[in-house]
């Protein structure tokens, strides 16, 4: 049986009462369990696939204006993925960020996390993104970062890296250049999806999810991710599994988005975005189901710069 988010989306879109839908699902599962199984039951049809924008294999980047607008309805202005607000608060407290702190955010999307850090702490945040379409769409809030660029921010107290490793980009090269100006005692946090079960990459669900992503994922294992960070002359001091928190934030954010989608349905402009939102909802459902099945996970790595004498 699918999770509560899928139930809520289907209940809203298909016009069902949620309690009635749950009763129907429970009855169907009970009937399937009671019947002798000669073969695997077919997977239920994807959520409102006929209504949604058809999934196409991703180009090197596929962030259309409609997709950007739909994502921000769910994640907030300037964000296209979960912000991990609770993690940011814990990291800020651990590092001791304050109004005089200088933070570099790599993988900043449209600058949502950077804006949140600035408003919550008052620190200086430089947002940078390796995807040119996102930097271009940020209205000047995010700077385009290339692998050959020198350090963007001098005397950085903290460097936050989001999502860069998931796209197969040269993480080690980027970290080497951008960490050169990290202050003594400064820290780096790398948040990324990781591959847990490599066999799952050939499964229909994984392929469906990967094909629907704006940039096709190239996930690595947590061990490989740690090695890439270490190769940048950094020392990984902690690795935390944040998969459960990540999935919970996806559920929570999409749960709130359903109410906003319902309100949008009353206007012509809102109706135009609903097919894109449904396609996005299906993509995120597949992502968290892969997490809960143990195919992929979410990790945060904390690293410090090695003593120069040991380089």
């Amino acid at each position: 049986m699918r999770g509560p988010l899928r139930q809520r989306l289907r209940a809203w879109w298909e016009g069902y009462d949620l309690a009635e839908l749950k009763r129907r699902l429970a009855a169907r599962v009970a009937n399937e369990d009671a019947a002798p199984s000669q073969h695997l039951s077919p997977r239920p049809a994807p959520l409102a696939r006929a209504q949604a924008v058809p999934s196409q294999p991703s180009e090197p980047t596929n962030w259309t204006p409609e997709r950007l607008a739909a994502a921000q309805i769910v994640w907030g202005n300037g964000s296209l993925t979960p912000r991990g607000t609770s993690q940011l608060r814990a990291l800020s407290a651990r590092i001791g960020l304050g109004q005089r702190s200088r933070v570099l955010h790599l993988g900043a999307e449209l600058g949502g996390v950077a804006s949140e850090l600035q408003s919550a702490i008052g620190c200086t945040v430089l947002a940078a993104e390796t995807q040119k379409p996102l930097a271009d769409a940020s209205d000047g809030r995010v700077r385009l970062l290339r692998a050959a660029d020198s350090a963007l921010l001098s005397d950085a107290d903290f460097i936050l890296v989001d999502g860069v490793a998931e796209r197969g980009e040269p993480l080690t090269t980027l970290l080497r250049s951008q960490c050169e100006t990290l202050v003594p005692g400064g820290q780096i946090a790398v948040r990324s999806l990781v591959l847990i079960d490599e066999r799952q990459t050939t499964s229909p669900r994984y392929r469906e999810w990967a094909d629907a992503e704006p940039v096709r994922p190239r996930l690595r294992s947590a061990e490989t991710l740690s090695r890439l960070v270490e190769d940048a002359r950094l020392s990984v001091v902690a690795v935390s599994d944040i998969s459960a928190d990540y999935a919970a934030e996806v559920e929570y954010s999409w749960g709130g988005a359903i109410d906003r989608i319902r309100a949008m349905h009353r206007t012509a402009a809102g109706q135009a975005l609903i097919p894109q939102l449904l396609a996005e909802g299906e993509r995120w459902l597949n992502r968290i189901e892969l997490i809960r099945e143990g195919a992929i996970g979410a990790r945060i790595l904390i690293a410090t710069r090695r003593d120069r004498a040991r380089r």
Side-chain angles (χ1 to χ4, degrees), residues 19-20 29 33 36 45 58 79 96 114 179 253:
E20 175 62 22
V29 171
D33 289 344
S58 295
S79 291
C179 292
S253 297

Side-chain angles (χ1 to χ4, degrees), residues 193-197 200 206 209 219 243 286-288 290-299:
L193 294 178
V194 296
L195 186 62
I196 296 176
D197 186 352
Q200 293 297 323
Y206 187 96
W209 165 67
L219 303 188
S243 303
N286 282 333
R287 181 181 286 208
I288 61 173
L290 286 168
I291 289 175
R292 287 178 172 148
E293 291 170 0
I296 65 177
R299 300 288 187 272

Side-chain angles (χ1 to χ4, degrees), residues 86-106:
S86 60
Q87 299 157 19
L88 290 174
R89 290 173 181 164
L91 284 169
S92 300
R94 170 178 174 168
I95 299 168
L97 295 182
Q99 292 184 351
R100 296 185 178 180
S101 300
R102 296 168 62 82
V103 177
L104 175 62
H105 186 202
L106 306 180

Side-chain angles (χ1 to χ4, degrees), residues 9 90 168 231:
L9 279 166
D231 286 347

Side-chain angles (χ1 to χ4, degrees), residues 233-289:
R233 300 190 292 267
L234 303 171
S235 294
V236 175
V237 297
V239 180
S240 299
D241 185 346
I242 56 172
S243 303
D245 289 345
Y246 184 94
E249 185 173 356
V250 172
E251 290 268 9
Y252 177 82
S253 297
W254 271 97
I258 291 171
D259 294 331
R260 293 190 288 276
I261 295 170
R262 185 182 293 113
M264 290 169 56
H265 195 263
R266 301 189 183 101
T267 68
Q271 288 178 17
L273 277 180
I274 285 176
Q276 185 66 67
L277 279 161
L278 289 170
E280 287 293 288
E282 183 73 9
R283 175 170 71 91
W284 280 97
L285 285 166
N286 282 333
R287 181 181 286 208
I288 61 173
E289 285 167 0

